[in-house]
Amino acid sequence: MDLSSISPTLLLASLMVAATPILLAALGELVVERAGVLNLGVEGMMITGAICGFAIAVNTGSPLLGFAAAAVGGALLSLLFALLTQIALANHVASGLALTLFGLGLSALLGQGYVGIKPPPTGKLDIPLLSDIPFFGPVLFSHDIMVYVGLALTLAVWVMLKHTRIGLILRAVGENHDAAHALGYKVVRVRIMAILFGGACAGLGGAYISLIRVPQWTEGMTAGAGWIALALVVFASWKAGRVLLGAYLFGGVTVLQLNLQAAGVALPVEYLSMSPYVITILVLVIMSADRSRAPASLGRTFHASG
Amino acid sequence: MIRLEKRPQPSRLWTYLTPLVAVIATMIAGGALFATLGENPVTAIATIFWEPLFGEFAFYYRPQLLIKGAPLILIAIGLSLGFRAGIWNIGAEGQYIIGALTGAAVGLAFYPLEAWYIFPLMVMAGALGGWAWAMIPALLKVRFGTNEILVSLMLVYVAEQLLASMALGPLRNPDGMGFPGSRNFQQYGSAHNAELIAGTGMHWGVVAAMIAVIFAYVLLNRHILGFHIRLTGQAPKAARFAGVRPARLILFCLGTSGALAGLAGLFEVSGPAGQVSIDFNVGYGFTAIIVAFLGRLHPVGILLAGLLMALTYIGGEIAQSNLGLPAAAIQMFQGMLLFFLLAIDVLTNFRIRRTGREAV
């Protein structure tokens, strides 16, 4: 075992990369849940995004087009969830599970011809001057564009929820859909938009895994990242800033665990690999003491029966 | 303009009709899917649903129906109890793995002793293992209010890693020349979950599944606990007044479903699978969720749904070898089934009305 081989600079830099997929997915789910919808299909939307993005990026040679396709793919899949829960008034939990099971099958089917292929590389930005600063340069300013998209999105979601009219309507719909309906807001429409946004974000997160983080396609490669994103929303008490914090915390655990594996720590690999999930459970336990911040209408079906 | 109008009472007709319509809709949509994959949709659907039952080699496939159906039914029965009360155990896959591990460990500990009591001990250990694994989300929910959906799911990934470490480590066959995987139970008489009646596929897991169906039916219809479960699902507030203790209900529902999933794992690992290996689990824990819903959370319904789902597994394998249909297509097919079921289910509680003016 040689712990000195772990470089703090690289550790922090790769932490941002490890955190990005769940950050993206969790931000999407945050918006969905603030609108009062509980979509447990994040895992299914992520894996669908992962293969859509991968396939388009490989076929066009453009990672950016891949990411766009991933967002569209994730949103299209989430549309099924929207139809089920908002139009057919199905149970949110069951529909979300259906979405995940369906997404896993769909992605495996779409991904058949893509096993073992390398996607086109996504360039690093290496912002001039800034990336030359010792330590902070490589940690903060020499990543691919999606890392910064994730950060910008965090800011955008925070501003949107807290300081805009759209955010106000969204929260009203999530807190009390009957009151929002009485005020004349289109509850179902707002929720469908939120679900589509969540799907697009989850798709982006999935594509980040298949195009940048891993980069290749294997069946079921998201390996629970979608569920961790869901846990992250609870951890964050439905606040955008804390989603970022949680994602970095989780990214840190993942990266540290991988580094310890590489350094040959005496613990078997399997025990290190399960640590992110165990830590997620522990964090959930600690956070669940405070349930007051959950949107009041979360997971309740809305029907304007008048 | 079409609008939905809430029915005063759920339609009994649609309760029973929904699964049938969902299966037919899935067949049509699945046929379209197979057509886009370049298959003749009619041949593909017939291969999946007809071939295993009445085809040329049906004598070989029919026993598979019980072998594949039993774990699904066993797990789904357990899940349905919780689902009815709004307690969502989504981690049956993990409880299934742990049950297989604890049960197999007990069996392997006795090797090479031959004695009648070994298999019953393994069964108990399997149930206990699954129960204990399910107690983690249950106790965390009761004590801290932690979301059981997320915790039970996280535990699936933990269980998968444990399975890998056991198959490579403590439970590895010492005579296996370094290959991962445990000793084969099919060669260890006292620990083997053998076929009870030759050529039927009937093993102890099937017996357990039948008992579970009967047990669940009696519980839900004749026992106060079953009444509490149903009441909690339908009217949580009324349940409180009726003296339901939510904590006890959570522990009971999660514990029972965990124990049943653990049993399914043990029967699978000691019978059809034969050994603890990294990929002996085939996703029964997740498919059982579909089975539970398709069976309308009713024991008899689950029995039928489990057999139907087993049929798609077997038919899928035939379609895979005969038509070269990808395995993933079947997985998607099963997911689709749940979609259609949930979508059509709206007709149970609502009726469709045409209105002249646009509804708000």
Side-chain angles (χ1 to χ4, degrees):
Chain A
M1 183 165 92
D2 182 18
L3 288 180
S4 63
S5 67
I6 301 175
S7 135
T9 316
L10 274 179
L11 196 74
L12 286 173
S14 48
L15 175 156
M16 290 180 75
V17 172
T20 299
I22 47 170
L23 173 65
L24 288 167
L27 280 174
E29 181 67 14
L30 174 76
V31 171
V32 175
E33 292 196 12
R34 284 303 277 269
V37 178
L38 180 64
N39 185 354
L40 293 181
V42 181
E43 178 84 0
M45 300 186 297
M46 273 186 102
I47 193 88
T48 305
I51 187 55
C52 288
F54 192 85
I56 297 299
V58 165
N59 286 325
T60 60
S62 156
L64 284 182
L65 275 179
F67 277 109
V72 172
L76 279 180
L77 194 68
S78 74
L79 189 62
L80 285 176
F81 177 84
L83 289 176
L84 278 181
T85 56
Q86 302 308 312
I87 309 293
L89 308 174
N91 177 301
H92 290 194
V93 174
S95 308
L97 291 173
L99 199 70
T100 289
L101 294 170
F102 180 74
L104 287 172
L106 177 70
S107 64
L109 190 64
L110 292 173
Q112 282 204 317
Y114 292 95
V115 179
I117 299 179
K118 274 221 156 302
T122 312
K124 295 205 168 185
L125 286 181
D126 275 328
I127 304 164
L129 292 179
L130 285 177
S131 62
D132 295 331
I133 306 171
F135 186 70
F136 290 106
V139 169
L140 293 174
F141 301 113
S142 59
H143 290 294
D144 53 86
I145 187 163
M146 290 309 289
V147 168
Y148 304 109
V149 169
L151 290 172
L153 198 66
T154 313
L155 188 67
V157 166
W158 178 74
V159 171
M160 188 271 284
L161 283 174
K162 201 155 171 105
H163 296 292
T164 69
R165 197 179 145 71
I166 303 172
L168 192 68
I169 296 171
L170 189 92
R171 284 185 289 143
V173 164
E175 289 298 336
N176 188 336
H177 50 217
D178 293 318
H181 175 69
L183 285 172
Y185 297 127
K186 308 276 186 204
V187 173
V188 170
R189 202 171 299 168
V190 169
R191 287 190 169 164
I192 290 178
M193 300 300 270
I195 291 168
L196 287 177
F197 176 76
C201 288
L204 283 180
Y208 192 85
I209 296 179
S210 66
L211 286 176
I212 297 177
R213 178 111 193 269
V214 176
Q216 58 174 341
W217 166 254
T218 43
E219 247 179 64
M221 70 182 307
T222 46
W227 299 108
I228 288 170
L230 277 161
L232 212 55
V233 179
V234 180
F235 166 80
S237 312
W238 293 270
K239 287 192 169 74
R242 288 172 66 169
V243 167
L244 183 69
L245 183 75
Y248 279 8
L249 191 76
F250 181 82
V253 172
T254 312
V255 169
L256 188 66
Q257 169 264 120
L258 288 172
N259 274 283
L260 289 175
Q261 280 188 24
V265 169
L267 219 57
V269 176
E270 291 83 15
Y271 292 93
L272 285 170
S273 307
M274 72 175 71
S275 60
Y277 306 107
V278 174
I279 287 171
T280 306
I281 294 176
L282 288 179
V283 167
L284 272 174
V285 170
I286 296 165
M287 293 314 295
S288 51
D290 177 24
R291 295 202 54 80
S292 55
R293 294 177 200 281
S297 290
L298 186 61
R300 279 170 50 205
T301 310
F302 171 76
H303 178 238
S305 18
Chain B
M1 186 66 195
I2 291 170
R3 84 174 244 128
L4 294 170
E5 188 182 274
K6 195 155 177 66
R7 292 180 195 271
Q9 266 177 349
S11 156
R12 282 188 77 85
L13 174 71
W14 275 104
T15 307
Y16 294 113
L17 222 52
T18 306
L20 290 178
V21 178
V23 170
I24 293 166
T26 309
M27 281 187 187
I28 295 168
L33 169 76
F34 297 143
T36 57
L37 290 172
E39 297 293 336
N40 179 345
V42 178
T43 322
I45 295 293
T47 309
I48 295 170
F49 288 96
W50 186 264
E51 204 71 15
L53 291 175
F54 310 108
E56 195 184 340
F57 300 103
F59 65 90
Y60 172 76
Y61 294 120
R62 269 188 221 136
Q64 291 283 322
L65 212 55
L66 290 179
I67 292 175
K68 298 251 191 253
L72 290 174
I73 295 166
L74 207 49
I75 301 169
I77 288 281
L79 294 181
S80 71
L81 295 180
F83 287 1
R84 268 174 183 254
I87 300 161
W88 300 94
N89 174 13
I90 310 299
E93 183 80 3
Q95 293 137 22
Y96 172 88
I97 292 172
I98 297 298
L101 281 179
T102 50
V106 166
L108 292 168
F110 282 103
Y111 184 86
L113 178 75
E114 296 281 356
W116 63 268
Y117 53 79
I118 294 176
F119 191 67
L121 276 182
M122 289 169 66
V123 172
M124 275 189 267
L128 206 63
W131 176 83
W133 204 246
M135 272 301 118
I136 301 173
L139 288 173
L140 291 180
K141 184 175 175 71
V142 169
R143 181 71 185 78
F144 302 105
T146 313
N147 184 318
E148 79 279 15
I149 300 177
L150 292 172
V151 174
S152 64
L153 246 158
M154 288 296 142
L155 286 172
V156 174
Y157 297 96
V158 175
E160 281 177 354
Q161 294 296 333
L162 260 180
L163 172 67
S165 87
M166 288 300 147
L168 296 166
L171 295 184
R172 183 158 71 179
N173 183 358
D175 307 327
M177 291 176 291
F179 283 105
S182 73
R183 284 182 197 282
N184 199 319
F185 286 103
Q186 286 162 359
Q187 286 143 22
Y188 180 22
S190 297
H192 182 207
N193 171 25
E195 218 176 20
L196 296 173
I197 306 165
T200 56
M202 176 104 158
H203 60 70
W204 283 112
V206 180
V207 177
M210 297 303 150
I211 296 172
V213 169
I214 297 165
F215 171 81
Y217 186 85
V218 172
L219 176 78
L220 286 171
N221 292 297
R222 296 276 178 275
H223 197 279
I224 184 75
L225 195 58
F227 172 71
H228 283 172
I229 288 174
R230 286 186 291 145
L231 189 62
T232 306
Q234 282 156 8
K237 277 189 189 136
R240 294 271 175 125
F241 288 118
V244 176
R245 307 243 291 270
R248 277 179 54 190
L249 207 62
I250 290 166
L251 292 175
F252 172 79
C253 287
L254 273 161
T256 309
S257 61
L260 290 179
L263 275 179
L266 176 271
F267 289 128
E268 185 69 18
V269 80
S270 60
Q275 59 166 177
V276 177
S277 58
I278 293 174
D279 51 0
F280 93 94
N281 57 314
V282 283
Y284 284 139
F286 291 117
T287 312
I289 297 172
I290 305 179
V291 171
F293 282 114
L294 189 63
R296 317 259 63 192
L297 306 182
H298 186 283
V300 179
I302 287 171
L303 177 70
L304 298 173
L307 291 173
L308 177 74
M309 205 57 81
L311 187 65
T312 64
Y313 268 123
I314 303 159
E317 276 169 25
I318 302 174
Q320 224 176 309
S321 58
N322 289 9
L323 308 174
L325 217 58
I330 295 304
Q331 201 184 345
M332 208 181 130
F333 198 81
Q334 293 175 342
M336 227 190 258
L337 188 56
L338 186 48
F339 265 133
F340 280 115
L341 187 80
L342 292 168
I344 298 163
D345 208 22
V346 69
L347 297 172
T348 310
N349 290 310
F350 293 87
R351 94 179 90 219
I352 292 176
R353 274 286 160 85
R354 281 167 195 281
T355 50
R357 282 161 292 129
E358 187 179 336
V360 183

